[in-house]
Amino acid sequence: MRTALTIAGSDSGGGAGIQADLKSFAAVGVHGTSVITAVTAQNTRSVDSIFPIPPAEVRAQLRAVLKDFDVRGAKTGMLYSADIVRAVANELAGTKFPLVVDPVMIATVGASLERADFAAALVRDLLPRAALVTPNRLEASRLSGRKVRTLADARLAAEAIAKLGPAAVLVKGGHVKGELVDLLYREGGFTEYRGYRYPADLHGSGCTLPASIAGYLAAGLALVPAVERARQRVALGFLMGYRPGRGVGVINSHAAVDRYEVLQAVREGGEAAARTIPLDWVPEVGINLGYALPAAASPEDVCALEGRIIRVGPRLQATGAPAFGASRHVARIILAAMRFDPRVRAAINLKYREKNLSRLKKIGFEVGTFRRGMQPEGTSTMEWGTEQAIRKLGRVPDVIADHGDVGKEAMVRILGTGPREVMRKVRRLVRG
């Protein structure tokens, strides 16, 4: 098993810092080692005291880890003072593994986690060693010397921070108003990662992202896939967050998903669809059912039937076993819907007929629509059409009606939280 290293402060409440980092490493599947830079007395409501570890002891911890373990990736969190920054930078000199620097300055509960001399030392001594630096809005403002309020500001700040020496900059969008966008700047170009904005901050979320990135880098992933996988883990952590204390909630840094449960749900849903759906509801391309993992980020995270549900003689039959990545069409529909409501993780397609639209509305289903003729060139119909239908309605509907186009079959796509809910809607629809 490969080894990752976290250099950060200890959170006595167990939600952030070293504790969140080690849980993140374990969830990624790497062995976690640690160097503690400060001991904090904190909980989900406040940081009551900070006791910085003497720099000599920080150096001793680092030397003990590096002389015995083959570290493949590391992350720094709360370093607190210039003396600790210098101690860390000196001990890491000459090491080759990728380093993710999280410039921790303020806790979720609002307390300062730095001394006045910290930022200057971080810029001078550690950022030039970093493969990636991961500031939030306030930290990006401090490091770049410019206010960050919008995505455009984040772009300018990322370019300014990159000039300080790190190979890449990821400005986290959690504290920027509007749509949630994490902005990655590397090799002179930007990549925007959009996601669902959860309604509340969770203690430890700022630690879990860079720790997960470092864990994936230690596991052998390149930077971009490491960032993408780590963002997925953070989304999953938000979905499965909990409230152990009386203050803010805590991100579930060690959350895990059950892929077998998703596979089994698609298998059972496909069998139910073959038993339930009348032959005249089957489109020419057949029917497929998809179900995504929580916090899915790519078609490979969506399970669907490798074949289709098709007509075989006088009845329907599901052909092919369920598999992840089996259908990009249904996956794009689900992934687009999840950006607006992460609970909507399943979809099925049926034949569209004009008389069905009135039936849908009589049943009480919310129906979204889109027109293929308005689609911009170079975009995915499933992704663009789903997004258009949702934006027009203002929420994720029960059904998206696609009127089709020349050479494109008209269909309805029924959405739900899982295959069981989708099939309940299908039964109501086909039975009128």
Side-chain angles (χ1 to χ4, degrees), residues 316-362:
L316 294 183
Q317 181 177 319
T319 63
F324 286 94
S327 173
R328 293 192 172 268
H329 279 76
V330 73
R332 288 191 175 105
I333 294 166
I334 295 170
L335 292 170
M338 288 180 69
R339 288 202 294 270
F340 295 87
D341 187 344
R343 297 170 299 176
V344 179
R345 295 165 44 205
I348 195 170
N349 66 299
L350 299 178
K351 187 174 184 177
Y352 172 84
R353 294 173 296 178
E354 286 296 332
K355 66 179 183 180
N356 294 346
L357 192 57
S358 60
R359 177 183 287 190
L360 287 166
K361 292 177 179 177
K362 285 179 182 177

Side-chain angles (χ1 to χ4, degrees), residues 172-349:
K172 296 177 285 192
H175 296 96
V176 179
K177 290 184 178 180
E179 185 179 8
L180 175 63
V181 182
D182 293 332
L183 186 68
L184 177 65
Y185 179 73
R186 60 185 290 272
E187 297 179 354
F190 289 98
T191 304
E192 296 179 1
Y193 297 103
R194 285 173 162 74
Y196 177 78
R197 182 180 292 281
Y198 291 84
D201 286 335
L202 292 183
H203 191 47
S205 57
C207 303
T208 299
L209 179 63
S212 297
I213 294 171
Y216 283 121
L217 290 172
L221 270 65
L223 180 64
V224 170
V227 169
E228 293 171 349
R229 293 280 295 275
R231 290 187 74 256
Q232 184 179 1
R233 284 215 51 78
V234 171
L236 178 63
F238 266 96
L239 276 173
M240 302 178 72
Y242 55 97
R243 193 166 176 261
R246 296 182 179 89
V248 299
V250 170
I251 191 169
N252 193 332
S253 303
H254 53 294
V257 296
D258 188 342
R259 296 175 74 90
Y260 175 77
E261 180 184 15
V262 171
L263 279 163
Q264 186 65 16
V266 173
R267 180 179 291 108
E268 292 174 357
E271 292 169 354
R275 292 193 306 266
T276 303
I277 298 171
L279 295 179
D280 58 354
W281 285 84
V282 182
E284 292 180 12
V285 296
I287 296 169
N288 208 337
L289 171 68
Y291 187 27
L293 294 170
S298 73
E300 284 67 36
D301 300 322
V302 181
C303 182
L305 298 172
E306 287 183 303
R308 292 285 190 276
I309 301 170
I310 60 172
R311 181 171 182 167
V312 179
R315 60 188 180 86
L316 294 183
Q317 181 177 319
T319 63
F324 286 94
S327 173
R328 293 192 172 268
H329 279 76
V330 73
R332 288 191 175 105
I333 294 166
I334 295 170
L335 292 170
M338 288 180 69
R339 288 202 294 270
F340 295 87
D341 187 344
R343 297 170 299 176
V344 179
R345 295 165 44 205
I348 195 170
N349 66 299

Side-chain angles (χ1 to χ4, degrees), residues 92-106:
L92 293 181
T95 57
K96 305 244 185 236
F97 52 77
L99 175 68
V100 178
V101 173
D102 188 27
V104 176
M105 296 176 182
I106 300 174

Side-chain angles (χ1 to χ4, degrees), residues 1-5 25 28-31 70-74 97-98 100 211-222 226:
M1 182 179 287
R2 293 193 177 198
T3 296
L5 165 66
F25 290 164
V28 166
V30 296
H31 175 69
D70 181 17
V71 174
R72 298 295 185 94
F97 52 77
V100 178
S212 297
I213 294 171
Y216 283 121
L217 290 172
L221 270 65

Side-chain angles (χ1 to χ4, degrees), residues 31-253:
H31 175 69
T33 57
S34 62
V35 170
I36 297 177
T37 59
V39 175
T40 68
Q42 66 174 298
N43 51 40
T44 58
R45 294 185 290 183
S46 65
V47 178
D48 298 329
S49 71
I50 299 173
F51 178 78
I53 301 299
E57 186 59 31
V58 172
R59 285 194 294 270
Q61 292 178 76
L62 260 170
R63 288 173 184 173
V65 171
L66 294 177
K67 74 181 179 181
D68 188 40
F69 297 92
D70 181 17
V71 174
R72 298 295 185 94
K75 173 250 180 183
T76 64
M78 175 187 177
L79 299 179
Y80 191 62
S81 70
D83 288 342
I84 294 175
V85 170
R86 282 192 290 271
V88 170
N90 289 339
E91 293 304 318
L92 293 181
T95 57
K96 305 244 185 236
F97 52 77
L99 175 68
V100 178
V101 173
D102 188 27
V104 176
M105 296 176 182
I106 300 174
T108 302
V109 293
S112 174
L113 300 177
E114 59 166 329
R115 281 183 176 162
D117 58 357
F118 164 73
L122 186 78
V123 169
R124 182 183 62 249
D125 298 322
L126 205 55
L127 288 195
R129 167 67 177 80
L132 177 71
V133 59
T134 60
N136 61 25
R137 178 181 72 86
L138 297 175
E139 294 157 354
S141 297
R142 286 280 305 279
L143 293 175
S144 67
R146 61 177 70 243
K147 290 287 185 182
V148 177
R149 297 188 181 90
T150 66
L151 182 59
D153 296 336
R155 284 174 168 264
L156 295 174
E159 290 179 312
I161 295 169
K163 292 177 181 177
L164 301 176
V169 181
L170 179 68
V171 180
K172 296 177 285 192
H175 296 96
V176 179
K177 290 184 178 180
E179 185 179 8
L180 175 63
V181 182
D182 293 332
L183 186 68
L184 177 65
Y185 179 73
R186 60 185 290 272
E187 297 179 354
F190 289 98
T191 304
E192 296 179 1
Y193 297 103
R194 285 173 162 74
Y196 177 78
R197 182 180 292 281
Y198 291 84
D201 286 335
L202 292 183
H203 191 47
S205 57
C207 303
T208 299
L209 179 63
S212 297
I213 294 171
Y216 283 121
L217 290 172
L221 270 65
L223 180 64
V224 170
V227 169
E228 293 171 349
R229 293 280 295 275
R231 290 187 74 256
Q232 184 179 1
R233 284 215 51 78
V234 171
L236 178 63
F238 266 96
L239 276 173
M240 302 178 72
Y242 55 97
R243 193 166 176 261
R246 296 182 179 89
V248 299
V250 170
I251 191 169
N252 193 332
S253 303

